[in-house]
């Protein structure tokens, strides 16, 4: 079998072989997808997912697993267990955001149960065998509520276990309630606090984030700032646009803005597929 140096030599010596070599390497590549913690900017992830499902056959054929934290974990779950429910996910996201916006104090309004509405949405979308489809192919980032240590969960004994792990990965104290989610006798909260963009150990992890930064698929940075911030394993550009995005993650923007995020994610993903050689 040709080694990496030999492949490079062939490409340099005869450029006519370049596309063949690229296809050969791609066919042997194992890839993972990781979706960053995003809150209501998960709309961006949904746009990315649509582009991958429409145009990323080559990438998906090499896909080993998906990972994520918070809203990113929800989208990773859809990618693995219910890609046919993508439009349903978009409709739920828009409805959920509208309901939060309609509350006087947003998600923290007394009497409003953020986690209950999220659970109902998850229940509607996941197929009966979701936990079986997710085993060893879905990696969900969660944070222990007392030790603040991260855990990656990739084994699910039941559909209910999967739902609990997803809820735990999305639980932001005070914002989403006062009681952390219990799973296997321990209490857990948002995985975005400790690992907001998980990288898997085997294969290449393609990273997706709705915040401008060095991730594989993310919005382009339009300013001149070169300063980066490290947020729980995710690097983002320190910019006005990202500060606005961080606010919108918890305080959902208008429906037109959510749809624009969806479209931006779609376009960014198509650009990545073309640039990285995953499209014909």
């Amino acid at each position: 079998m040709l080694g990496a140096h030999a492949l490079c030599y062939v490409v340099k010596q005869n450029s006519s072989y370049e596309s063949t070599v690229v296809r050969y390497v791609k066919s042997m590549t194992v890839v993972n997808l990781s979706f960053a913690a995003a809150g209501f900017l998960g709309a961006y992830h949904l746009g990315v997912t649509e582009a991958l499902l429409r145009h990323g056959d080559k990438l998906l054929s090499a896909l080993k697993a998906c990972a994520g934290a918070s809203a990113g974990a929800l989208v990773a779950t859809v990618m693995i267990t219910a890609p046919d429910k993508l439009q349903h996910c978009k409709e739920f996201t828009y409805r959920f955001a509208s309901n939060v916006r309609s509350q006087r104090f947003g998600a923290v309004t007394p009497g409003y149960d953020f986690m209950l509405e999220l659970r109902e949405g998850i229940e509607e979308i996941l197929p009966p065998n979701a936990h079986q489809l997710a085993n060893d192919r879905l990696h969900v980032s969660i944070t222990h509520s007392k030790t603040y240590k991260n855990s990656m969960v990739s084994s699910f004994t039941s559909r209910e276990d999967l739902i609990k792990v997803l809820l735990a990965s999305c639980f932001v104290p005070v914002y989403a309630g006062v009681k952390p989610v219990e799973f296997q006798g321990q209490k857990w909260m948002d995985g975005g606090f400790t690992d907001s963009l998980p990288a898997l150990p085997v294969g290449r992890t393609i990273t997706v984030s709705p915040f401008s930064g060095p991730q594989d698929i993310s919005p382009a940075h339009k300013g001149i700032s070169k300063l980066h911030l490290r947020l729980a394993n995710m690097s983002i550009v320190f910019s006005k646009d990202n500060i606005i995005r961080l606010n919108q993650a918890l305080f959902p923007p208008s429906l037109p803005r959510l749809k624009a995020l969806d479209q931006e994610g779609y376009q960014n993903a198509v650009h990545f597929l073309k640039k990285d050689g995953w499209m014909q």
Side-chain angles (χ1 to χ4, degrees):
M1 183 180 293
L2 286 173
H5 293 295
L7 284 174
C8 290
Y9 177 80
V10 170
V11 172
K12 289 178 181 178
Q13 294 300 309
N14 193 333
S15 59
S16 66
Y17 290 137
E18 183 171 0
S19 60
T20 301
V21 171
V22 170
R23 285 196 300 271
Y24 173 75
V25 172
K26 292 293 185 188
S27 70
M28 297 183 65
T29 300
V30 173
V31 299
N32 309 293
L33 286 169
S34 183
F35 296 90
F40 283 101
L41 299 189
Y44 179 92
H45 288 332
L46 293 174
V48 170
T49 299
E50 181 176 0
L52 296 179
L53 292 174
R54 284 192 180 187
H55 307 293
D57 286 349
K58 288 172 66 178
L59 187 153
L60 296 180
S61 67
L63 185 65
K64 181 178 187 293
C66 285
S70 193
L74 299 177
V75 176
T77 305
V78 171
M79 193 80 179
I80 292 294
T81 71
D84 59 313
K85 293 288 190 72
L86 181 61
Q87 188 57 41
H88 189 137
C89 292
K90 292 187 181 187
E91 292 168 0
F92 167 71
T93 299
Y94 300 152
R95 185 172 68 250
F96 193 11
S98 176
N99 288 344
V100 171
R101 282 197 308 272
S102 70
Q103 305 300 316
R104 185 175 182 183
F105 301 110
V108 298
T109 302
Y112 176 66
D113 195 331
F114 179 94
M115 295 299 285
L116 176 61
E117 184 161 1
L118 179 58
R119 171 182 267 276
E120 290 174 347
I122 294 172
E123 289 270 14
E124 288 177 8
I125 293 165
L126 293 187
N129 65 335
H131 59 292
Q132 295 169 331
L133 297 171
N135 270 329
D136 298 323
R137 296 199 66 219
L138 174 68
H139 299 255
V140 180
S141 173
I142 58 177
T143 302
H144 196 277
S145 65
K146 291 185 178 179
T147 65
Y148 296 98
K149 291 185 177 180
N150 182 266
S151 182
M152 293 293 295
V153 182
S154 59
S155 179
F156 312 94
T157 59
S158 67
R159 185 174 182 269
E160 178 61 19
D161 266 2
L162 173 57
I163 291 173
K164 284 182 178 178
V165 171
L166 293 174
L167 290 173
S169 191
C170 294
F171 179 79
V172 177
V174 180
Y175 177 86
V178 295
K179 294 182 179 180
V181 178
E182 188 168 323
F183 170 65
Q184 293 184 343
Q186 302 288 322
K187 293 182 178 180
W188 305 87
M189 58 185 184
D190 198 321
F193 290 133
T194 49
D195 192 349
S196 58
L197 190 59
L200 300 182
V202 178
R204 175 192 175 187
T205 298
I206 296 170
T207 53
V208 183
S209 173
F211 303 99
S212 296
Q215 284 69 46
D216 294 298
I217 303 174
S218 66
H221 172 52
K222 299 176 182 177
I224 60 174
S225 172
K226 295 183 179 180
L227 179 62
H228 284 68
L229 300 177
R230 194 76 177 172
L231 300 177
N233 200 37
M234 176 172 61
S235 178
I236 70 170
V237 179
F238 181 68
S239 67
K240 179 182 177 181
D241 285 344
N242 272 344
I243 291 172
I244 291 172
R245 291 181 182 111
L246 285 167
N247 180 70
Q248 291 177 337
L250 293 177
F251 303 97
S254 66
L255 179 59
R257 172 58 181 154
L258 289 172
K259 290 186 174 182
L261 281 165
D262 177 300
Q263 188 59 30
E264 184 178 24
Y266 185 96
Q267 292 171 347
N268 290 165
V270 169
H271 174 74
F272 166 77
L273 290 170
K274 291 179 179 178
K275 176 178 67 70
D276 225 48
W278 291 106
M279 285 181 72
Q280 295 290 355

